[in-house]
């Protein structure tokens, strides 16, 4: 089980990323625009840097939905490797079963 504080911190980052998504997108569009002047681009870059650090979506971590484990998480299922194995053994994941040959 992951530390509760780390899971909560990651939830806070997801909330901030969602809150500032539109603002970040607009500033990035201004920065990459070919029509904007150099001054406008620099001003947009400064505004982007002043946004909260945790509002960047790249600071979020994929975590297991059940245990909160940060490593070994399968995106397709949203579960860590060990929880995916347990769920597979219980038959909770449709179309997935343990390999045997």
């Amino acid at each position: 089980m992951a530390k509760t504080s780390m899971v909560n911190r990651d939830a806070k980052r997801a909330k901030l990323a969602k809150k500032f998504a539109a603002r970040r997108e607009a500033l990035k569009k201004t920065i990459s625009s070919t029509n904007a002047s150099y001054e406008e681009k620099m001003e947009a870059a400064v505004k982007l840097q002043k946004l909260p650090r945790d509002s960047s979506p790249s600071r979020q971590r994929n975590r297991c939905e059940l245990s909160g484990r940060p490593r070994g998480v399968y995106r397709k299922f949203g579960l860590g490797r060990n929880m995916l194995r347990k769920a597979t053994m219980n038959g909770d994941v449709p179309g997935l079963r343990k390999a045997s040959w």
Side-chain angles (χ1 to χ4, degrees), residues 35-93:
N35 298 334
S37 69
Y38 179 76
E39 288 78 21
E40 290 172 340
K41 289 182 181 185
M42 287 297 115
E43 185 179 327
V46 169
K47 285 182 182 177
L48 185 64
Q49 289 173 357
K50 293 209 183 226
L51 290 178
R53 180 180 288 172
D54 283 342
S55 69
S56 174
S58 63
R59 286 182 58 95
Q60 292 177 31
R61 183 91 179 159
N62 291 336
R63 289 189 175 270
C64 175
E65 292 294 323
L66 299 177
S67 64
R69 181 182 168 86
R71 297 182 182 199
V73 178
Y74 290 88
R75 285 179 188 235
K76 185 175 181 179
F77 305 105
L79 298 173
R81 59 181 175 78
N82 46 5
M83 291 296 158
L84 181 62
R85 185 172 190 273
K86 281 184 186 176
T88 302
M89 294 298 184
N90 294 337
D92 296 336
V93 184

